[in-house]
Amino acid sequence: MPRKSKKKAASKSMTVDIIRRFASNKTAMAAFVFLILVALVAIFADVIVDYNVSITQNITERFKAPGKAHILGTDAFGRDVLARIIHGSRISLLIGLGTTSVSLIIACILGSAAAYYGNMVDNVIMRCIDVLISIPSILLTICLVSILGSNAFNLGVALMIGQIPSFTKIVRSTVLNVKGSDYIEAARACGSSDARIIATHILPNALGPIIVQGTMNISGAILTASGLSFIGLGCQPPAPEWGVMLSEAKEKMLMYPYLAIIPGIAIVLTALGFNLMGDGLRDALDPKLKD
């Protein structure tokens, strides 16, 4: 069998093995299915219910208890809670997935460059990262939002910057374990450029821990975004964001507890789903757990 065919067969076998072990984890699979459903709701939110229903005030319908007309009731402004939950899923997933993806891309560039080139490049990049990581990420995010202004975009930028330091350290340590491998030396001997070696040989073989950490960080980003929106430093009313919904419900939660319980459950279940899926990915990608 040609060498390339053997390599493809081995790669395919490894991928199948990872998928099989992930699928055998019932908790991780349940979380995965739940997150797929949440993603579908977010994608087709406008098809399920019109966005205007979630933001248009109707005082005559305020504080309606859950029923046939409004399955999850209405809030203090007569807005349908279910419609706000549905459209809020889009905001939360965009913030969680978007900020984590962009920060991972930047961290992969910085971390792989620091590990691959070493010396001065490593010192400059990692000393800058050390400065950023010495500031608690939540404090850094709050400071950046306060400077940039309170809205969804600035919140996303602040969360992205806050995630880069920890991701960069993970990427650097992972790449350091891979760069000394024989196939990297073989790629250099074949005349491959540094960028090609990093992109096609190093990063693909270091993606396991990076993907797991990224998955778990999504839940952290969603929780942080909801928390900052709750205190007025994130998304602003009347945006149907789950943290905003909790903030608006806090004054009436004793009389109308469903206004706080429903968005709270949405936040907890989504964050828990990403954490459980991250645990499943870690177990599936860990070669020590092969049976």
Side-chain angles (χ1 to χ4, degrees):
M1 183 183 290
R3 188 174 179 180
K4 287 186 178 180
S5 298
K6 288 182 179 179
K7 187 175 180 181
K8 287 182 179 179
S11 177
K12 184 177 179 180
S13 175
M14 185 181 297
T15 303
V16 170
D17 189 41
I18 290 172
I19 294 173
R20 179 185 61 80
R21 283 187 283 127
F22 180 80
S24 65
N25 188 327
K26 294 182 180 179
T27 304
M29 277 302 297
F32 177 72
V33 171
F34 171 75
L35 291 175
I36 290 294
L37 293 175
V38 174
L40 289 174
V41 168
I43 292 170
F44 297 105
D46 290 323
V47 177
I48 299 171
V49 60
D50 187 66
Y51 178 75
N52 289 328
V53 175
S54 68
I55 61 171
T56 302
Q57 298 183 15
N58 185 359
I59 302 302
T60 60
E61 294 288 316
R62 64 199 305 259
F63 296 128
K64 291 286 186 180
K68 291 182 179 180
H70 303 281
I71 297 175
L72 296 181
T74 61
D75 64 9
F77 300 99
R79 298 170 300 197
D80 189 86
V81 173
L82 177 60
R84 290 178 67 76
I85 288 291
I86 290 172
H87 285 278
S89 66
R90 177 178 292 180
I91 297 174
S92 293
L93 287 185
L94 277 176
I95 290 175
L97 293 171
T99 58
T100 302
S101 299
V102 175
S103 60
L104 265 179
I105 292 171
I106 296 173
C108 282
I109 295 171
L110 295 176
S112 57
Y116 185 81
Y117 292 107
N119 300 324
M120 184 61 71
V121 175
D122 186 24
N123 284 329
V124 171
I125 292 176
M126 295 315 297
R127 295 302 76 76
C128 293
I129 293 299
D130 287 339
V131 171
L132 288 175
I133 211 168
S134 65
I135 307 171
S137 59
I138 184 64
L139 179 59
L140 178 61
T141 303
I142 291 174
C143 291
L144 290 172
V145 171
S146 300
I147 293 169
L148 297 174
S150 301
N151 57 56
F153 179 78
N154 292 339
L155 174 62
V157 171
L159 286 171
M160 178 196 69
I161 294 173
Q163 292 183 84
I164 289 175
S166 58
F167 278 146
T168 302
K169 281 189 169 289
I170 292 170
V171 173
R172 178 180 177 271
S173 63
T174 307
V175 171
L176 281 173
N177 292 330
V178 174
K179 78 166 190 174
S181 303
D182 292 338
Y183 60 86
I184 303 299
E185 297 298 328
R188 288 198 190 99
C190 291
S192 297
S193 64
D194 292 341
R196 182 178 177 82
I197 291 173
I198 292 173
T200 62
H201 298 291
I202 293 180
L203 284 178
N205 289 284
L207 279 180
I210 298 171
I211 291 174
V212 171
Q213 187 63 33
T215 304
M216 292 186 169
N217 266 49
I218 294 173
S219 65
I222 291 173
L223 290 172
T224 302
S226 298
L228 292 180
S229 295
F230 179 81
I231 62 176
L233 290 176
C235 299
Q236 299 297 308
E241 198 272 338
W242 295 338
V244 172
M245 293 177 67
L246 280 175
S247 179
E248 293 175 340
K250 65 179 182 292
E251 294 179 358
K252 301 288 184 180
M253 63 184 299
L254 292 179
M255 296 177 62
Y256 307 99
Y258 66 90
L259 294 178
I261 292 173
I262 294 169
I265 290 175
I267 293 169
V268 170
L269 289 181
T270 305
L272 180 62
F274 279 108
N275 278 332
L276 292 176
M277 190 175 75
D279 284 339
L281 283 172
R282 181 196 59 202
D283 294 343
L285 291 167
D286 191 344
K288 295 179 182 178
L289 298 177
K290 286 183 179 180
D291 46 22

